[in-house]
Amino acid sequence: MKAHLTRRYMFSASHRLHSDAMSDAENATTYGKCNNPYGHGHNYALEITVSGPVDESTGMVCNLTDLDTFVEKEILDRFHLQNLNTVPEFGQAVPTTENLSTSIYDILQRGFTHAHLEKVRIEETMMNSFEYAGGNEIRK
Amino acid sequence: MVYLTRKAEFAASHYYHNPEFTPEENRRIFGKCNNPNGHGHNYTLEVTVKGEVDPRSGFVVDLKHLKEVLNREVLDAMDHRFLNKEVPEFFTRIPTTENLAISIWQRLAPKLTTAHLHRVRVYETPDLFVDFYGEA
């Protein structure tokens, strides 16, 4: 039988929202306080949902140790306590939480093979969150 | 269509062990969860039902009915229990969060008459939960 498993992780990082495609005035208008050249930070909560048939011999969709090990090495080591503007994944992209969601989704999609990736959800603050399922509809 | 979610909490102990695995395999796959004396969690359960709103009552489901079924079929059986030793389906099935969600669905689905079960969500801890939608 198919089940969905969601694991929640925390990481902290700083960023500055600034687009080279805009003038300074446009950047200031578009991003407001987030355009501060010195940056600012958040405690991000990351939820990763994977799915698959529950293995009868283990009772699991996938072994949590495999997911935790992958996330620690490929995501948390890369983003936790970093300035997102300096993380290569973003290149020239603005490190909004939208772009962070798609980057993290892509890292998992490329490298995590133990279960099917359903979606990534990120809370930037307690007041806003972002979900990405690779372009698929999000199931509630 | 309106979706309604009812939340409940229960506390239970469990351990993970497959008698077909060697002791080494059990330890490697299940880690600390393989301790035969068990360990416990405060589980949070969210049951979501869906249906059309009845024009006379304004309800999707009578919450009193949902609560009674939930108490009788799930909480009475699992709250303050050692799942492996006291809940029959876990005599043979490993009581992982995945299997708990499936088991709770199987206990509730046949008993809910006025609303359709949409999702069973079981939180083992605040940072780990499983959703089951009744899919084969």
Side-chain angles (χ1 to χ4, degrees), chain B residues 14-97:
Chain B
H14 68 175
Y15 76 110
Y16 296 169
H17 181 83
N18 183 336
E20 290 174 12
F21 292 160
T22 63
E24 291 72 26
E25 280 176 319
N26 270 299
R27 272 195 297 274
R28 179 174 54 78
I29 294 165
F30 299 123
K32 283 187 177 175
C33 301
N34 187 229
N35 176 354
N37 296 321
H39 63 277
H41 298 284
N42 297 322
Y43 291 95
T44 301
L45 167 62
E46 287 181 11
V47 174
T48 302
V49 298
K50 64 181 175 185
E52 299 299 334
V53 178
D54 181 302
R56 290 179 67 243
S57 65
F59 289 163
V60 167
V61 63
D62 182 350
L63 260 182
K64 184 157 55 63
H65 168 66
L66 180 58
K67 193 177 155 187
E68 279 165 7
V69 172
L70 207 54
N71 283 345
R72 190 177 64 238
E73 302 298 328
V74 180
L75 301 185
D76 289 352
M78 298 188 185
D79 188 31
H80 287 79
R81 301 285 185 189
F82 194 150
L83 299 175
N84 303 65
K85 297 178 194 292
E86 296 185 90
V87 179
E89 56 265 47
F90 298 125
F91 295 170
T92 50
R93 228 190 269 171
I94 304 171
T96 56
T97 318

Side-chain angles (χ1 to χ4, degrees), chain A residues 1-8 47 54 56-64 139-140, chain B residues 18 21 29-30 94 96 98-99 102 106 118-119 127-133 135-136:
Chain A
M1 270 176 277
K2 183 184 174 188
H4 292 60
L5 178 139
T6 300
R7 181 75 152 154
R8 187 177 169 93
E47 285 184 2
V54 177
E56 279 185 29
S57 68
T58 61
M60 297 171 177
V61 167
C62 72
N63 200 315
L64 263 187
R139 185 174 201 174
K140 293 297 178 186
Chain B
N18 183 336
F21 292 160
I29 294 165
F30 299 123
I94 304 171
T96 56
E98 289 92 326
N99 279 336
I102 293 170
Q106 289 170 339
H118 171 66
R119 187 187 74 193
D127 59 13
L128 176 67
F129 64 86
V130 166
D131 289 322
F132 184 62
Y133 296 89
E135 290 172 300

